[in-house]
Amino acid sequence: MSPQPVLLVIAHGSRDPRHAATVHALVRRVRAARPGLRVETGFLDFNVPSVRGVLESLDADGVQEVVALPLLLTRAFHAKSDIPAVLREAPPRLRVRLADVLGPSPLLTRALERRLYEAGLSPADKSSTGVVLASAGSSDPEAIAVIADIAREWRHTGWCAVRPAFASASLPRTEDAVRALRELGCAKVAVAPYVLAPGFLPDRIARGAAGADVLAEVLGPAPEVARVLLERYDAARLPRVAALGA
């Protein structure tokens, strides 16, 4: 039996040290959930090791196949342009398969609820609580539409209301969505950051949540997030997923 492909988790990177620490914590959870699977981490910017450096190291180790998994929640610029460009420069002996981004997924919605309950809400609060689904934001219409769809579907699980908000590039901002939910008459307002790790934009979300009753933590190394990573890895191993450069 040929060895299973190495899982290369590709994170954006940040000057904020909390970002890399959270990424590494998530990767440790993935490793614990799948003993025997080699999992590596590479960053597009700001942090080391770089994606290119990890690919070169894997090639030097004699690795033949890699599943590259974008640590992203939507298909926007990094997923559509930056990551494929970096992977096209991989050593020619490496067979690289590109997995899908993490979102949307029911598991991520479950992780959002986990964070809200950890922040102090209970299932009994759902019908009287309005939730702001606060994402980093994007200029990509496809990514914005996905966030709106997630908010609409999540609303149908019993919340008073769910409104999307964005920390950059798009409107409304978190504070505007909080205000709108107050005006709607929700007894409580909670902000659920739809982001994976702390950093500049999550901090902006937190500032916008000043008028809310509850601010959840970022998704981070939630067990549901680790499960999504492994689901994307397994799907990328299927023959129907074309290898880059094939």
Side-chain angles (χ1 to χ4, degrees):
M1 179 183 296
S2 60
Q4 58 187 336
V6 171
L7 170 56
L8 171 57
V9 176
I10 301 179
H12 181 273
S14 171
R15 292 186 178 91
D16 189 322
R18 296 173 299 168
H19 173 90
T22 302
V23 170
H24 291 312
L26 174 58
V27 169
R28 286 194 296 272
R29 187 177 284 276
V30 172
R31 290 189 181 117
R34 187 71 63 89
L37 173 63
R38 181 173 177 180
V39 186
E40 301 290 345
T41 308
F43 296 90
L44 290 174
D45 207 353
F46 301 117
N47 302 104
V48 292
S50 68
V51 176
R52 183 177 291 106
V54 174
L55 291 170
E56 290 172 352
S57 294
L58 292 173
D59 180 57
D61 286 349
V63 172
Q64 297 180 342
E65 191 168 5
V66 175
V67 169
L69 195 154
L71 199 60
L72 300 168
L73 295 172
T74 59
R75 276 184 49 78
F77 180 77
H78 294 304
K80 294 178 179 179
S81 180
D82 283 357
I83 291 176
V86 171
L87 296 180
R88 282 194 290 270
E89 298 176 0
R93 290 180 298 184
L94 275 182
R95 179 178 173 84
V96 181
R97 295 180 180 273
L98 179 58
D100 287 339
V101 297
L102 303 184
S105 166
L107 284 169
L108 294 178
T109 305
R110 199 177 305 168
L112 288 167
E113 295 210 358
R114 169 191 290 275
R115 294 303 189 220
L116 286 171
Y117 297 149
E118 289 171 349
L121 291 180
S122 73
D125 294 317
K126 288 187 76 167
S127 62
S128 60
T129 301
V131 178
V132 178
L133 179 67
S135 77
S138 173
S139 58
D140 188 306
E142 178 186 349
I144 297 304
V146 167
I147 300 299
D149 287 344
I150 294 170
R152 188 161 42 248
E153 291 180 12
W154 199 15
R155 159 69 181 85
H156 294 316
T157 66
W159 296 100
C160 174
V162 180
R163 297 287 176 87
F166 308 94
S168 67
S170 306
L171 296 174
R173 294 287 184 258
T174 302
E175 53 268 33
D176 299 325
V178 169
R179 190 179 309 112
L181 290 171
R182 291 284 187 210
E183 294 171 353
L184 190 63
C186 298
K188 290 184 179 181
V189 175
V191 175
Y194 190 59
V195 292
L196 288 165
F200 176 76
L201 293 178
D203 283 349
R204 181 179 289 177
I205 290 171
R207 289 193 297 272
D213 300 291
V214 172
L215 170 63
E217 293 292 333
V218 300
L219 294 172
E224 296 87 354
V225 179
R227 284 181 58 192
V228 176
L229 261 73
L230 289 171
E231 284 185 357
R232 298 292 184 258
Y233 168 81
D234 291 335
R237 298 174 63 188
L238 298 177
R240 67 173 180 270
V241 180
L244 289 176

